[in-house]
Amino acid sequence: MAPKLKIRFWFTELTVAALVAIFLYTAITKLKDASAFEKAMNHNSLLKAYSSTLTWLIPATEILIAFLLIIPVTRRRGLLASAIILGCFTGYIAYMLLYSPHLPCTCGGIIQSMTWSQHLLFNILFTTISLISFFIYRRPKTSGRRSRTPVNIVSNHF
């Protein structure tokens, strides 16, 4: 493998591993204490009307994206989905910084202990590396050999 391809390979592999860990960790943390997650969203006028739906939709989406990232055939889609959802979270954090910097974070776990500014930088970083990985990811090639089993085209069943 050429050095450039090794760098691409390891960059995407490390990105995928980090994203899977982050998404599963935050999803499990939110699901473990779903009532606290919903309660934190109820403090925000932007999310309050949708909090009961988002309480389950956000962790389910994070788990789905983690599975897309784990499976090589769907990894590229998972990287794109990661960039999209992280972009949405980044927009939400930017909104929070501008309009409600004193509201609690709804992320859960260690990430919840970050300040809004730290969280914004964290999300920008992971959105960026998700996009880079999406564009440089090359799915491992299989042997490329398809079955050469002959197919009986003419049938003698009259």
Side-chain angles (χ1 to χ4, degrees):
M1 186 181 291
K4 187 176 179 181
L5 293 177
K6 279 186 181 180
I7 292 169
R8 281 181 165 187
F9 173 80
W10 285 111
F11 183 83
T12 56
E13 289 298 309
L14 291 172
T15 299
V16 165
L19 290 169
V20 167
I22 290 166
F23 284 132
L24 289 179
Y25 172 76
T26 57
I28 290 167
T29 302
K30 290 170 189 163
L31 291 172
K32 276 177 64 178
D33 199 357
S35 61
F37 178 47
E38 184 173 4
K39 192 176 189 180
M41 282 191 287
N42 280 327
H43 288 292
N44 184 325
S45 59
L46 185 67
L47 301 177
K48 189 174 186 170
Y50 312 103
S51 64
S52 60
T53 302
L54 291 174
T55 299
W56 303 104
L57 184 62
I58 291 173
T61 302
E62 291 171 334
I63 291 168
L64 174 64
I65 292 172
F67 281 112
L68 288 173
L69 290 165
I70 291 168
I71 302 166
V73 175
T74 60
R75 184 164 292 159
R76 192 155 193 266
R77 289 184 190 128
L79 287 166
L80 181 60
S82 296
I84 291 169
I85 198 164
L86 286 167
C88 292
F89 291 161
T90 303
Y92 169 73
I93 293 166
Y95 169 84
M96 293 303 293
L97 273 168
L98 291 171
Y99 299 105
S100 303
H102 302 294
L103 289 179
C105 174
T106 58
C107 296
I110 296 167
I111 296 171
Q112 190 171 358
S113 65
M114 293 180 186
T115 66
W116 285 108
S117 298
Q118 291 169 334
H119 204 137
L120 182 67
L121 292 173
F122 178 88
N123 276 41
I124 289 170
L125 172 70
F126 278 95
T127 302
T128 303
I129 66 170
S130 294
L131 280 172
I132 292 168
S133 293
F134 171 75
F135 286 112
I136 68 171
Y137 180 73
R138 299 288 181 255
R139 197 169 97 208
K141 294 190 181 201
T142 56
S143 66
R145 187 168 187 269
R146 294 189 180 177
S147 173
R148 302 280 185 217
T149 308
V151 178
N152 186 4
I153 298 172
V154 180
S155 178
N156 292 329
H157 302 300
F158 288 96

